[in-house]
Structures are given as structure tokens and as C-alpha cells.
Amino acid sequence: MAHDGIIYLDHAATSWPKPPEVLDAMARALGPAGGNPHRSAHRLALEAARLVLEARSTVAAFLGVRDPRDLLFVPGCTFGLNMVLKGLLAPGDRVVVSSVEHNAVARPLAALAASGVEVVQMPVDEAGRVDLDAAEELVAEAPTRAVVCQHASNVTGAIQPVADLADIAHEHGAVLVADGAQAAGHLKVDLAELGADAYVASGHKGLLGPQGIGVVYLSPGLEVRELVQGGSGGDSGALSMPVVRPDRYEAGTPPVPAIAGLAAGVAVLGREADELFEQEQRIARRLLEGLAAIPGMRVLGPVLGEERAPVVSVVHEEVEPDRLAYELDSRYGVAVRAGLHCAPAAHAAMGTAETGAVRFSVGRGVTEADVDAAVEAVREVCLA
Ligand code: PLP
């Protein structure tokens, strides 16, 4: 449904509009629950502490995390991925990673490579999916500390075989780190089943929370070096961080309003997810079909009928992505994202490193009428 005259198809960048429950929860966290959690003992601080405790349980339950203490609040998915990768890997370690990662993975790994971590890339097929046979061969080739892969691509929408990669990793004594930025809140994520040892997600995308919050799941046996040290509200006499979770990984005053908003978004998903995910899939299929039918249009990633996250990126043989996105916004009020989507490697794999693409992404609130109007607008721009 159009909001404020905007047909919003940029949910892969951030979900919008946020459910009213998210705004209300954030206001509460700045008002009656506005103290500093786990520090002072007055009622405002206790309310804040209660809020954070309940929020952790809500998000953990939604993602299938059995013990909420294994679910850590961090400032965002990028921060979380840096925390896991830099906390896990040391010079001399070997890591096997997909060749289509977002820069939130690719750049920390490039920084680690510069300090002596060996980074080996797994190839993908024409739809951008990791080739499991090649992955197995690469992991078996030499002692490997970690296999790293996105759960779903922000460019192609391809869903990666994370559970199979986890099996491969475990068979060879490695851990599996997954980037769930585009999966959490759009696909069913059950971390009790998936097999990932570490899973990182944005709070502000499919999980419907505000910007400034993300989550890291660390499986019970897996500890990484914490990226940040500081106050934790307890054990203050020691110069080292507490060893208990989540304290070890959450130094400093937590972003309580953002945590409250995230929990409220996830509570909405808890009620709606089954129907919502189905609806997003249906609408993304309709979008894909409509865009693919426009002469001169190429759709990246899995073809119609194959599974994908609700992301559809396209390139037109005549209209540059930037111009298409600009025309859609300025003339039709359709919000999409053009360019490389912070994932040049994924574009390289698709042969669109030079041009980039226009990405349409579906989320809560997007209707069939919205995507029909967007497709019609694209048709008008491209066929003018
Ligand atoms: N990984 C993927 C696949 C993404 O699409 C994004 C954001 O677009 C990120 C990681 C980083 O998320 P954030 O910008 O919320 O830190």
C-alpha cells in the first residue's frame, strides 16, 4: 500500500514504514523505561532492564535460539559480522567464503587477509548460489577455521544452502558463520535447526526494528574475542570483561530504544510471519514476472519458480539503472535502489559489475497493486 504517496520497494535496504507498535515501544523506552539498564537500581532503570530482558527473549524465540543469553544485541549487522569474524580469526587461519558476499563480510575479511588470514572463495552458479561440491572440495583441501556465507543475497535474492554448508564445515572441524541480513524476517530462520555456529542479522530490515540495532547468535560452545571492552554494569572491579553472556559482548550502555523497537517489530512478526512470508513470496513472484515481461529486461538470480528472498534486481538493455531509479522516484513515487548494493562481488558474478542493477525489494505492507503500479511505471520509462 502506498504510504505518504510512496510505493516503497526498498525493504532490502531498510523496512518502511515501521509498524506503529515499534514507534510506541521506542517512545516508552525513552519515557517510563528510560533509565540505564543493569546500572542503577531505581524504577526507571529496573524497567529498562526488564525491557531488555524481555526483548532478548522475544527475538531469541522468533529466531529459534534456545537460550536467550546466546543472542547478543549489537549496533548493527555490519558491527556483528566484524565482531564475529575479527573475534574468531587470527593470522594463519584459513577461511572459506562465498564469492558473492556483501561488503559487510568482504571488507572485514579483506582486512583480516592483510594481517595474514588466508581467504579462499567458493564459486557460485549462474543464479548466484554457492556450488556445494566446490565448497566441499575447498574446505577439505586444508585445515579451515570457518566457512562464511550469506543466508540470502541482497542482489540476486538467491537463498544459500547454509544448512549444507554447516554440515560441510562441521565435518572438517570448521565453524559456519552466516550473514542473515536479508533472510531474518523474510524467510523462516530456525537457529536450533540451521546448524550455523554464528548468525548475524540487521534489526532494521526484515525484523522491522529501527536502525542502530542488530543481533548476533553465538552457539553455546563458541566464544570469540570481544571487539569492544567497557562497562557492563557488573563485576566492575575487574579490568577484563565478564566471561558470561551476554555481558561479555555488550560493553557500554545498550541502545534501549532501538532494542525496544526491534522487540516490538519481532512481536508483530511473531503474529504475522506465516502469512506475511507467504504473501511476500507471492508478491515478489508477481513482480519478477511483470519485470521479466518487459522487452529488453534481464532479471538477475534465480528464475521464476525457484526459491528466492523477496528481492528482484533487473538490468534493462537501454535504460541505465541510475536513470530508471531516478525516474521511478521522481515521476512515479516508486522507491527502489540502483547501483552495486554494497556487493560488487555479487554483481561481478552476475556480469553487472560495470552497470550495477535496479533492485526492487518487497516487505511488510507491499501489495499486489503496488508492484503492478511499479511494473507499469518501469514499462513506461523503458519503452518511452
Ligand atoms: N549483509 C547483507 C547481505 C546486507 O544486505 C546488508 C545490508 O544491506 C548487510 C550485511 C549489512 O547490514 P547493515 O547495513 O544493517 O549493517
Side-chain angles (χ1 to χ4, degrees), residues 12 77-78 102 104 154 179 181-182 202 204-205:
C77 185
T78 299
H102 188 278
N154 66 318
D179 169 7
Q182 296 297 339
S202 290
H204 66 96
K205 298 182 191 278

Side-chain angles (χ1 to χ4, degrees), residues 51-146:
L51 188 159
V52 173
L53 193 74
E54 288 174 2
R56 200 182 303 281
S57 295
T58 302
V59 182
F62 182 70
L63 295 175
V65 174
R66 289 202 179 99
D67 183 344
R69 289 171 296 188
D70 297 330
L71 199 277
L72 314 168
F73 290 126
V74 291
C77 185
T78 299
F79 185 100
L81 287 162
N82 271 268
M83 179 181 117
V84 172
L85 296 172
K86 291 176 179 167
L88 184 68
L89 298 165
D93 281 343
R94 179 174 190 265
V95 55
V96 174
V97 61
S98 96
S99 51
V100 288
E101 294 299 314
H102 188 278
N103 277 341
V105 166
R107 286 181 171 168
L109 285 183
L112 284 162
S115 68
V117 171
E118 186 191 357
V119 180
V120 181
Q121 297 212 334
M122 303 183 272
V124 294
D125 65 15
E126 68 288 348
R129 286 175 299 240
V130 166
D131 175 334
L132 278 174
D133 292 333
E136 169 114 59
E137 246 175 70
L138 288 170
V139 178
E141 213 169 68
T144 299
R145 179 77 182 103

Side-chain angles (χ1 to χ4, degrees), residues 126-192:
E126 68 288 348
R129 286 175 299 240
V130 166
D131 175 334
L132 278 174
D133 292 333
E136 169 114 59
E137 246 175 70
L138 288 170
V139 178
E141 213 169 68
T144 299
R145 179 77 182 103
V147 177
V148 183
C149 192
Q150 60 191 209
H151 194 172
S153 167
N154 66 318
V155 173
T156 61
I159 298 173
Q160 304 294 1
V162 173
D164 296 317
L165 288 170
D167 288 344
I168 292 173
H170 296 158
E171 267 165 44
H172 296 280
V175 296
L176 189 283
V177 177
D179 169 7
Q182 296 297 339
H186 291 298
L187 309 173
K188 186 164 172 48
V189 175
D190 182 354
L191 293 173

